[in-house]
Amino acid sequence: MSRLGLGAMRLTGPGIWGDPADRDTALSILHQAVDTYGISHIDTADAYGPHTAEQLIHDPLFPYPDHVLIATKIGMVRPGPGQWMPLGNP
C-alpha cells in the first residue's frame, strides 16, 4: 500500500465547479496514479463539482482494485462556483 494519496478536488473545473476543461487528462491522471504510481488512497467529496469527482474516479478505475481506498466526506454544499456553505446536519 502506498503512503501517498491523491486528492480529487482539482480534477474538476474552475472554482471546483463542473467538468474539467480536459476530461481525458483528468481520467489519465487517475489511471496513472493507481496503475503507474501505486497510489492506494483517493480523497474526494460530493461537493467537488459538485457530483463530478466521483464520476471521474469511477470511469477509469471501476471495477476498483482491491488495494484502492476511496474516501469521501460530507458537510459542505455548493450553491455556485467558488462558493462553499456548511451543512452540518447529522
Side-chain angles (χ1 to χ4, degrees):
M1 192 175 290
S2 173
R3 294 182 69 178
L4 296 175
L6 175 72
M9 177 189 280
R10 298 292 179 185
L11 293 174
T12 61
I16 321 303
W17 192 262
D19 290 322
D22 186 345
R23 181 176 168 77
D24 289 338
T25 296
L27 298 178
S28 177
I29 288 168
L30 286 157
H31 182 56
Q32 287 181 43
V34 172
D35 293 338
T36 303
Y37 298 105
I39 298 294
S40 56
H41 177 252
I42 300 174
D43 174 69
T44 188
D46 185 50
Y48 301 167
H51 316 296
T52 303
E54 284 86 353
Q55 191 64 49
L56 288 170
I57 293 165
H58 173 272
D59 291 349
L61 300 180
F62 188 84
Y64 307 114
D66 289 338
H67 74 280
V68 172
L69 172 69
I70 300 170
T72 190
K73 52 201 162 293
I74 59 172
M76 302 297 278
V77 293
R78 304 291 311 282
Q83 298 177 13
W84 300 81
M85 295 180 62
L87 179 66
N89 297 338

